[in-house]
Amino acid sequence: SDWDALRKQARHLENDIDLKLIAFNKVGTGSSSLNSGGAADTSPLLGDHVFESLSLEIEQMLDQLSNINERMAEIPGTGAAVMHVLQRHREILHGYRQEYLKIQANHTTRMEREELLRGSGLGGTTSPSTSGLSRRDMYLKENTHLHNSSSMVNDQISIAMETKEHLTSQRQHMKRFQTRMHDISHRFPLISSLIQRINIRKRRESLILGGVIGVCTILLLLYAFH
């Protein structure tokens, strides 16, 4: 009887949490809610107040469901069916907690994004009648910034491609020049032989000049110390 009563409480509480999470998600995403008069309520302050109230209420309900699951686990039971039911309730609780944390994270990200857009130039407090228009203007401005950034990136890519083509063309010109010089050296062996002789003569003259300078230096040192 205790097991059945706790299980009934767990099911009832799970249904309530499921409905609360649906409403919590709508408020977290900024969806308009209906007030008692049937009109759409778009007040940001009221939306934040409702979100905080639902957050606190859902957190308390999740803690209560966790306590019920612990009490169910303390009741001695036999058979795999009881363990399967208890495991199923734990999985449902885990899923609700994950959904609750996800909605909170999405709401925080949305608020930070709107605050950033508001501080980029469209800031200031707006009345409830113009809050939707201001938010739409912020999104349009952000879209314009993204479009301009995309255009700048495309221009930089075009410049990089043109530079790559220019370097490739220069590389081809250098290859053709080297090929021509190689062909000229093979077509005119006399020129190649003359260049080699000139280089040999330069090296020989350098050696002779170095030797003369060395001998003169030695003679000067001998004369100085003598």
Side-chain angles (χ1 to χ4, degrees), residues 41 45 47 60 66 83 94 110 136-137 162 166 203 224:
D41 190 359
L45 295 177
Q60 293 176 354
S66 178
M83 299 300 299
H94 179 73
R110 184 179 68 87
R136 184 165 60 251
D137 291 339
E162 291 178 359
H166 183 67
R203 287 195 295 269

Side-chain angles (χ1 to χ4, degrees), residues 119-188:
S120 63
L122 291 176
T125 57
T126 57
S127 61
S129 60
T130 60
S131 60
L133 180 61
S134 299
R135 185 174 299 174
R136 184 165 60 251
D137 291 339
M138 287 189 292
Y139 290 153
L140 289 175
K141 184 175 181 180
E142 184 183 10
N143 188 22
T144 303
H145 287 325
L146 291 175
H147 180 72
N148 294 335
S149 300
S150 178
S151 300
M152 292 178 62
V153 171
N154 291 332
D155 293 339
Q156 295 297 325
I157 292 175
S158 299
I159 294 173
M161 293 299 295
E162 291 178 359
T163 305
K164 180 182 177 181
E165 293 177 357
H166 183 67
L167 293 175
T168 303
S169 178
Q170 287 185 351
R171 182 180 180 184
Q172 293 176 355
H173 287 307
M174 291 298 296
K175 284 185 176 180
R176 286 197 293 267
F177 179 75
Q178 290 178 356
T179 303
R180 288 179 182 178
M181 292 298 296
H182 185 71
D183 294 339
I184 290 174
S185 63
H186 282 285
R187 289 180 181 178
F188 302 99

Side-chain angles (χ1 to χ4, degrees), residues 67-85:
N67 292 331
I68 293 176
N69 289 341
E70 292 179 358
R71 290 169 58 187
M72 291 172 62
E74 293 175 356
I75 297 177
T78 58
V82 175
M83 299 300 299
H84 177 74
V85 171

Side-chain angles (χ1 to χ4, degrees), residues 14-34:
E14 288 170 357
N15 293 332
D16 292 342
I17 293 175
D18 188 57
L19 295 176
K20 292 289 183 181
L21 285 175
I22 294 174
F24 190 56
N25 186 36
K26 289 182 179 180
V27 177
T29 55
S31 301
S32 59
S33 58
L34 296 178

Side-chain angles (χ1 to χ4, degrees), residues 37-76:
D41 190 359
T42 58
S43 175
L45 295 177
L46 182 58
D48 292 340
H49 177 71
V50 173
F51 184 84
E52 292 176 0
S53 299
L54 285 174
S55 177
L56 181 60
E57 187 176 356
I58 293 173
E59 188 173 357
Q60 293 176 354
M61 295 172 70
L62 290 174
D63 292 338
Q64 185 178 356
L65 182 59
S66 178
N67 292 331
I68 293 176
N69 289 341
E70 292 179 358
R71 290 169 58 187
M72 291 172 62
E74 293 175 356
I75 297 177

